[in-house]
Amino acid sequence: MVLLAVNKKYKRFCGPKEKKKQDNYTHLVTLIQHKVWATLTWQLDSFDTQINTKQLSISQMATTRRSLLAASAISHPHPTHPSINTYFATHPHILLQPMLKRLFFSSLNRTHFRPNSPLKFRPILFLSSPSLSSLNRPTRVFTMAAKDHTFTTSTSTQNKHTNRLASEHSPYLLQHAHNPVNWYPWGEEAFEEARKRDVPIFLSIGYSTCHWCHVMEVESFEDDGVAKLLNDWFVSIKVDREERPDVDKVYMTYVQALYGGGGWPLSVFLSPDLKPLMGGTYFPPDDKYGRPGFKTILRKVKEAWESKKDVLVKSGTFAIEQLSEALSISKLSDKLSEEIAQSALHKCTKSLAESYDPKYGGFGSAPKFPRPSEPHSMIYQSKKLTELGKTDEAEKHLKMVSFSLQCMARGGVHDHVGGGFHRYSVDECWHVPHFEKMLYDQGQLAHVYLDVFSITKDVFYSCVARDILDYLKRDMIGNNGEIFSAEDADSAESENPTTKKEGAFYVWTISEIEDVVGEHASLFKEHYYIKKSGNCDLSSMSDPHDEFKRKNVLIERKSTNELASKLGMPLENYQEILGVCRKKLFEARSKRPRPHLDDKVIVSWNGLAISSFARASKILKTEPEDTKFNFPVAGTNSQEYMEVAKKALNFIKENLYNPQSRRLQHSFRNGPSKAPGFLDDYAFLISALLDVYEYGGEISWLSWAVELQEIQDEVFLDKTGGGYFNTTGEDESVLLRVKEDHDGAEPSGNSVSAINLVRLASMFTGTRSDRYRQNAEHLLAVFEKRLKEAPVAVPLMCCAADMLAIPSKKQVVLVGKKSSPQMEHMLVSVHASYDPNKIVIHLDPSDEEEMGFWKEMNPNVAAMAKSNFVTDNVVALVCRDFACKAPVTDPKSLEALLLSRKA
């Protein structure tokens, strides 16, 4: 979610007392609704039907939810237009129906509201709690649904039609290249065609592994009748949100601000000059239960354009103008107040602790998402409490995280057979997942498991980190080191190749398990709760419509120690048998039709994964030497993970970086995309480069990080208002520039940038260090209101605020030959303990390039290296603001010193 503010121009809409009470976000939405609702009401007025609970069954209600984001379903201030929101607000028991919950998950947007905000509209559904009045915690807003997770792919007409998308590189666009719809990619050709014909634009935004995008394609975009309407009355544009997040952000922000929710596929009607007219998410093709289908909506929009075009365009222009003013928020002071800097993290972790599920782990209720910034902030706070001597409280924070990670790893949200994690769990016990696998999840989750291992030294967590990284290494990395984006949830069923079904690749019948596993089937079935009737019965939300009847999603419900003891078997032997069984299943599963692989390379997501590969190269070397690994963990030499990180960086530098302009491109597939690099690409890649350097990489990676930070400041920084915009502002077709703060499925570019700036400021000295620190201070000041009032929305930014507030910074400087075993041992020791507030610098005084770099960037480091160089050993200096303790030459002594409070 983005931070919104109210511009002075519309103070007239409410008095000074009311303005003080009213939340800025709500105020803005109300203004737009008042202006735009009048122009939309008449469009679909006849479809805005009062829901009668006696006549509408639960299954009908689920289908009705498909078109909730049509204009007729807006929760608006007009009393004569009842809405579905009103129905759910007055019938909260309906929210407990598992079918509804399960259906609404595929297109999810997570929004945070202030607890005392006098909302004049309600989001589509509150499903976090049976109580609809609790707004002081993250609220999940669901904006689309349909009844069946199975759909049939069209093969007979696969090549009957070919449109302009056939020449694109995006997997999502190519999926639509043979639709009868005359699709255009986003660009001037489409805009000019709309202007020439004087017709509206239909903009459809999605991504290649989006389940409901597939459904809408099959139902509508492959239908000749729907295609004729679109081709005759509109210019249709298809956008891959992963390739053009800037375009997606503009129209998703519009839909969220106006209607209270959003999701994918995103369906928006635009004027030829790209102003939004109306929008929604998934629409079924035909009218049902008094709600408009897609064909009806097309007719109504066409009629509206012909009869009231000027009113529509003015309303769209007004909405964009107000959003633009609101989103360009600036700092009110040059520095975050000391009170907020000290309290934000505490408030954030307190809110998370209150939402903790002590039975199944995780924060919040079903559906459960592994939002990595949440455990990241809890681990950070635990470390801080330990340093303050509050060990009991610190242990409680750490236990919440560690238990949650255990439950996730043992649940079905974890792919026990192939490694890695699915997107989220539809139930409270982490069992039945939405089976999509996203790179950004893998990179961040590996990071968190590595953190907990570095604190606890429990190899359970290191093995899960390896599991994730080995999955990426095996299945998600290209020949040149590039890391791919995602794997779909849907795949063809072996017995019916034309039918795709969610989870088909991952679930098992009991007979399949018995046939593949053989002699150890009984052991395996008990361990993973395998049943003849199917095991998706642990929660009413897991499989309410028997989609997985007689199917099993592997889950570990009992402890491995307990089950091994029951069989009188040594634990090591028991685990080895499980590994052998999993490998057999993996080989059998490999013969099934695979889910679609989105082999697009996204710089920002690669950055998240590169960081974890680099960190694993040293952290995992502290595992006990006798640690045994079982499939799908490969037992990779941890140094290989650093090579994976460097190869991915080399791919980006060679294919997605222009050394002349020093600019990044956002993504790559059969060549760089047309889209430039966005804030997240720069911020996440800079973070990865810092990690690669600090964990043993060459000085060239650090030098590139410095260069990219300069370009980021030049292109994205608001030099007067503070903070970073998400786009360059150079593309006139992108109507909004946003300063984003929400740490959701991915961290925000501003949160990561704040941490990068603190790290760089701690590494260097002089005016450069001062500039980094000042930019970080201004950035956090921009988001002071969010840090004060809703810190749980920005967990990573809360950590950044605390990092910046620390009065003195810790640096560890290692001096010696880079290629020596001693340097490797020292690097392992310095990273053996968790400390997010230390900076690691390593250099070889005999390397002229390195010494030249440090003489320019930090003469203190160059001087220390020169005076502490020993030819046959590595010297470690532990410093505070480069005032250092006595040199250390023994790795164990260094490790002990860093663990002590004296460091």
Side-chain angles (χ1 to χ4, degrees), residues 859-889:
N860 293 335
V861 170
M864 278 189 278
K866 192 173 181 180
S867 60
N868 287 279
F869 182 55
V870 179
T871 306
D872 58 351
N873 209 342
V874 174
V875 175
L877 301 161
V878 179
C879 317
R880 287 278 181 181
D881 292 337
F882 295 103
C884 306
K885 297 183 179 299
V888 177
T889 57

Side-chain angles (χ1 to χ4, degrees), residues 795-813:
L796 201 62
M797 192 173 286
C798 292
C799 296
D802 187 83
M803 292 172 74
L804 186 62
I806 293 172
S808 62
K809 307 302 179 187
K810 182 191 296 183
Q811 299 92 12
V812 181
V813 182

Side-chain angles (χ1 to χ4, degrees), residues 53 55-66 87-88 94 97-100 103-104 145-148 288-289 544-545:
T53 58
Q55 298 175 352
L56 206 58
S57 69
I58 294 301
S59 62
Q60 290 172 327
M61 181 65 70
T63 307
T64 297
R65 280 289 296 117
R66 293 174 170 181
Y87 175 83
F88 283 110
I94 291 297
Q97 295 294 335
M99 180 58 186
L100 289 178
L103 290 177
F104 300 158
K147 190 173 180 179
D148 195 358
K288 284 187 180 180
Y289 312 117
H545 279 258

